[in-house]
Amino acid sequence: MENGLIIELKGVSKSFAIGGGREFLALKGIDLEIHQGEFTGLVGPSGSGKTTLLNLMGALDNATEGSVRVLGRNVESFSHTEAAHFRKESIGFIFQSFNLLPVYTVFENVEFPLLVAGVAAEERKKTVTQALEWVGLLDKMYSRPTQLSGGESQRVAVARAIVKKPRIILADEPTANLDAENSHNILRTMVKLNQQLGTTFVFSTHDQKVIDYLRRKITLVDGRLFKDEALTPKLAGNDK
Amino acid sequence: MRTLLLLALKNVRGAGLRTWLNVATLSFGFVTIVWMQGIYEGMMRQMVTAQIDTEYGGGQFWHKAFDPFDPLSFEDAHGEPGDALKKLVAEKKATPILLRTGAIFPNGRAQSVVLRGIEPTQEIVQIPGGVLLREGEALPGLIGKRMAEATGLKKGDTVTIRWRDVSGTFDATDVEVVEVMNIAVPGLDAGQLWLPLRTLRRLIGSAEATTLFVTEKGYVESHIEDPNFVWKNNDFLLSEERAIFESKKAFGYILYVILMAMGLLAVFDTQVLSIFRRRREIGTLMALGVTRSEVVGLFTLEGSLHGVLALFAGALWGIPILAHAAKIGIGLPKMSDNMGIAIGARLYASYAPQVLVVTLCVLLCSVVVVSFLPARRIAKMRPTDAIRGKG
Ligand SMILES: Nc1ncnc2c1ncn2[C@@H]1O[C@H](COP(=O)(O)OP(=O)(O)OP(=O)(O)O)[C@@H](O)[C@H]1O
Ligand SMILES: [Mg+2]
């Protein structure tokens, strides 16, 4: 199932200006390959560079050094507009804090990526309904984000990330604000997606619950790739 | 782009009270400015109409020595016209006016006046000269309301006048005020005493003396060459009034700026605040593939929508008020006198379409600019920071 190479990092470093003319090196010479259909997690202590790495893969930020190839394209050389188009077409993001658009209903939030991509109305309705069915939120279609629980909000965010069927979904601590039950719920949905659509998932997490679902665990320490291990998921996605 | 417009509409609606406060302030500014411009435009029109109807006609031929600002010039500023002007008068396309300085003695106190000789039967300007045809013991004289008030003279009163004839000799006689007329142009009223032209000519001892000729309204400037008289068109004649008027208008601009500043500041403030508070949302939009310039566009649109909504709201509550000002008018007791230009008792607002369009465009554009300026900051935000609500 793991065939094509879709994320390829070579000698990637990322430094941040931290004032006084000094720089902080958040990532140091990272070499990493991720293949189509992986269910991979980046773990490591706080500040080890997990989010930074995810941001580079998602073309939200540029590497200071090295090359970042995603889906065969050199992300590090993108202009802002190119990066935006790339994200629109190929990447789904899930954030720790859900980041739903507050004035939109659940349906409209999920619909938004399709609107931006210029999908026709009928097709949109069908796809959004499908995505909401996936995450089990059809009955909350017309609710607003403020009316949702944390678990429901994150499910909307998942639906929004998957609705355009991106090749890659990058999830930055998606369960950090959820309780155990909701976490499992979300994770099972993601495993299902991964298995049925072949979507590649890359997580950043501290959460053992997430780690239990992973098939590959990449440990970062202090901006360096410390360990890269294959796992046998303790928990399967298909159990109801 | 349509997506962003819809999102902008939702955001603006979602902002609730704040939106409506902005819209209210802006629409108040919009309507007041249009209203004020209507008032100024109306004033201007009424002033020009009154001046043309009662004083300037279609333009005037002035005696070469005539200087309306120098009453001393009146003594010599009269003469006989050439044949062309005479013909114009005979055809009733122009009427002669004679100006002299003199003095009146209401209640025994001396007061200087301008004696204005006018043909009682003329129909060129709207001066009710017909009343001067009355025969009586004293000479018939006509004054305006302001003059009546300033001198205490009433209809039927007799007053002594004194003048100098062409040879410089003083003489005096009695004049009976046969009518007090209501006239919009202050310059034809205050300090003016109207007499039949023939009488005034007789008093000064010069049968053909004329200071100026007023041509009929709509008179087309034909090149009449006259040794004594020079043509003055209405552009020239009205320049003084227009200058006074422009200075009044300048005051209006200050008010416009204040009114707009209120509305624009409210929008600016809302923009700054919402960009600050909605960084996370901005980051999310960027993560979803909306480009920076589109996000800048979105926020500019949101701010600008306040202006568009204000336009609609202003039309809703403003049009009845504006229409009322144009149709029913506004009573302005004596205000016209204080302003030194002729308006009349009621002022009717008048809205020039070009002025209206230009004004509304300028107002809307300033809302767009004020919305855009804070939104530019978004282009400097890093998506990674914005997503976390920073930057
Ligand atoms: N914009 C920035 N400017 C300066 N330093 C930054 C910036 N972003 C991240 N860093 C630094 O880079 C390092 C890695 O940050 P990163 O957010 O990737 O860590 P993380 O592994 O995701 O941590 P956590 O588990 O707490 O989310 C941290 O030390 C952080 O302080
Ligand atoms: Mg992180």
Side-chain angles (χ1 to χ4, degrees):
Chain A
M1 98 144 53
E2 291 178 15
N3 28 35
L5 180 65
I6 64 173
I7 299 175
E8 185 184 15
L9 282 79
K10 276 194 192 143
V12 170
S13 297
K14 174 70 184 175
S15 61
F16 292 108
I18 50 168
R22 285 178 304 154
E23 305 244 304
F24 176 80
L25 210 48
L27 291 175
K28 300 161 191 166
I30 302 277
D31 294 307
L32 179 65
E33 291 185 353
I34 292 177
H35 293 82
Q36 168 80 37
E38 277 193 32
F39 205 76
T40 297
L42 306 173
V43 300
S46 181
S48 56
K50 305 182 290 292
T51 299
T52 306
L53 193 54
L54 275 189
N55 288 342
L56 294 184
M57 294 176 184
L60 278 173
D61 211 345
N62 292 326
T64 314
E65 250 175 67
S67 92
V68 180
R69 278 179 74 80
V70 181
L71 294 168
R73 306 191 50 193
N74 282 325
V75 170
E76 82 277 352
S77 61
F78 278 167
S79 70
H80 284 295
T81 314
E82 281 170 337
H85 285 305
F86 177 75
R87 291 194 293 267
K88 178 169 77 186
E89 271 146 33
S90 312
I91 311 283
F93 286 97
I94 298 170
F95 305 101
Q96 172 180 342
S97 50
F98 323 138
N99 287 25
L100 300 179
L101 298 176
V103 294
Y104 273 180
T105 61
V106 166
F107 185 92
E108 290 164 336
N109 260 287
V110 179
E111 188 188 24
F112 191 77
L114 299 178
L115 277 169
V116 174
V119 176
E122 229 171 281
E123 174 75 16
R124 281 202 311 266
K125 191 161 193 290
K126 211 182 81 195
T127 324
V128 173
T129 313
Q130 225 169 43
L132 285 173
E133 208 177 336
W134 266 91
V135 299
L137 273 179
L138 270 179
D139 55 332
K140 293 279 159 97
M141 203 142 93
Y142 303 111
S143 304
R144 304 216 170 247
T146 46
Q147 300 165 324
L148 301 177
S149 70
E152 287 166 339
S153 297
Q154 197 58 305
R155 272 145 70 196
V156 176
V158 171
R160 182 176 66 185
I162 63 169
V163 72
K164 60 187 175 190
K165 306 213 168 64
R167 303 276 302 278
I168 301 168
I169 289 185
L170 303 173
D172 194 0
E173 315 210 17
T175 57
N177 283 329
L178 302 180
D179 61 20
E181 196 191 327
N182 275 310
S183 301
H184 284 296
N185 236 319
I186 292 284
L187 284 160
R188 275 198 293 269
T189 307
M190 297 208 253
V191 170
K192 194 165 69 168
L193 272 168
N194 170 253
Q195 291 177 343
Q196 298 191 4
L197 301 178
T199 312
T200 306
F201 278 81
V202 183
F203 295 88
S204 128
T205 191
H206 294 287
D207 185 353
Q208 188 54 46
K209 293 189 289 300
V210 177
I211 297 168
D212 287 344
Y213 285 83
L214 297 177
R215 289 198 301 277
R216 179 181 176 190
K217 184 171 101 176
I218 297 163
T219 311
L220 293 178
V221 175
D222 202 13
R224 283 184 215 281
L225 214 153
F226 178 73
K227 206 152 102 188
D228 187 348
E229 52 199 319
L231 301 179
T232 314
K234 296 198 182 82
L235 295 165
N238 329 40
D239 54 347
K240 274 271 156 167
Chain B
M1 213 55 229
R2 218 179 66 109
T3 311
L4 293 182
L5 179 64
L6 287 178
L7 181 58
L9 272 168
K10 286 210 159 125
N11 284 333
V12 166
R13 208 186 54 192
L17 185 62
R18 197 166 179 97
T19 296
W20 295 118
L21 277 177
N22 289 343
V23 169
T25 329
L26 274 179
S27 81
F28 176 74
F30 283 8
V31 173
T32 313
I33 288 170
V34 170
W35 181 79
M36 283 180 58
Q37 287 192 333
I39 297 286
Y40 280 119
E41 184 71 25
M43 259 187 214
M44 181 77 176
R45 279 202 191 187
Q46 265 166 264
M47 181 270 288
V48 168
T49 310
Q51 294 282 1
I52 285 176
D53 286 350
T54 56
E55 187 169 14
Y56 297 145
Q60 299 180 335
F61 289 96
W62 283 9
H63 188 271
K64 281 186 299 200
F66 176 55
D67 175 0
F69 302 109
D70 176 17
L72 289 176
S73 78
F74 297 2
E75 297 311 293
D76 301 316
H78 52 77
E80 275 189 51
D83 290 340
L85 272 177
K86 276 185 181 160
K87 187 163 160 267
L88 213 58
V89 173
E91 287 170 348
K92 294 194 183 296
K93 284 183 178 160
T95 190
I97 305 264
L98 174 59
L99 300 185
R100 295 289 290 184
T101 50
I104 57 170
F105 299 86
N107 306 317
R109 274 198 303 272
Q111 196 174 330
S112 63
V113 289
V114 174
L115 304 172
R116 284 186 176 251
I118 187 171
E119 201 85 70
T121 54
Q122 65 76 32
E123 287 172 350
I124 306 270
V125 287
Q126 290 173 5
I127 301 290
V131 295
L132 296 171
L133 287 170
R134 221 193 63 173
E135 292 296 323
E137 247 174 72
L139 297 174
L142 172 64
I143 59 173
K145 263 192 179 164
R146 299 175 184 80
M147 179 69 166
E149 221 166 87
T151 56
L153 290 170
K154 298 185 300 291
K155 183 175 170 178
D157 284 357
T158 302
V159 65
T160 304
I161 66 167
R162 194 184 63 177
W163 72 95
R164 263 206 267 216
D165 66 17
V166 282
S167 56
T169 319
F170 278 108
D171 204 347
T173 187
D174 280 348
V175 166
E176 185 192 337
V177 177
V178 293
E179 190 64 77
V180 174
M181 64 179 168
N182 201 349
I183 185 166
V185 180
L188 299 181
D189 183 339
Q192 314 291 312
L193 173 61
W194 296 77
L195 298 168
L197 179 65
R198 200 122 61 110
T199 308
L200 187 55
R201 280 173 173 169
R202 184 166 50 77
L203 295 182
I204 67 166
S206 171
E208 289 291 337
T210 300
T211 306
L212 57 92
F213 293 89
V214 185
T215 62
E216 66 181 351
K217 227 157 92 175
Y219 172 76
V220 187
E221 186 179 343
S222 60
H223 290 281
I224 290 180
E225 289 293 334
D226 194 286
N228 290 327
F229 290 86
V230 282
W231 170 249
K232 305 284 178 187
N233 66 15
N234 276 345
D235 277 347
F236 170 81
L237 294 171
L238 286 165
S239 58
E240 164 79 359
E241 286 84 358
R242 288 214 168 103
I244 293 176
F245 188 77
E246 288 303 323
S247 70
K248 308 283 170 204
K249 231 171 155 178
F251 172 70
Y253 286 122
I254 297 173
L255 266 177
Y256 299 164
V257 169
I258 293 171
L259 280 168
M260 272 320 281
M262 276 167 35
L264 293 179
L265 258 174
V267 173
F268 188 84
D269 183 54
T270 303
Q271 289 290 91
V272 170
L273 201 76
S274 85
I275 287 161
F276 179 77
R277 282 200 309 213
R278 289 162 61 194
R279 280 166 303 183
R280 190 184 288 275
E281 190 183 325
I282 291 167
T284 308
L285 290 173
M286 289 175 175
L288 290 175
V290 180
T291 63
R292 280 176 174 186
S293 47
E294 281 170 335
V295 181
V296 172
L298 171 73
F299 277 76
T300 308
L301 209 57
E302 281 184 25
S304 309
L305 275 174
H306 291 117
V308 176
L309 287 175
L311 215 55
F312 283 114
L316 214 62
W317 68 264
I319 284 178
I321 294 176
L322 298 175
H324 186 273
K327 283 215 189 83
I328 316 292
I330 300 152
L332 294 173
K334 296 204 176 166
M335 184 182 162
S336 53
D337 290 12
N338 302 335
M339 293 193 56
I341 51 176
I343 291 166
R346 276 197 102 66
L347 172 60
Y348 298 93
S350 162
Y351 311 101
Q354 312 98 291
V355 176
L356 193 67
V357 169
V358 169
T359 304
L360 293 179
C361 283
V362 168
L363 296 185
L364 264 187
C365 287
S366 27
V367 177
V368 173
V369 169
V370 159
S371 306
F372 171 68
L373 289 179
R376 270 184 329 176
R377 236 183 68 81
I378 294 169
K380 296 204 196 83
M381 285 187 191
R382 292 149 46 122
T384 48
D385 291 339
I387 287 165
R388 293 182 303 167
K390 295 189 191 163

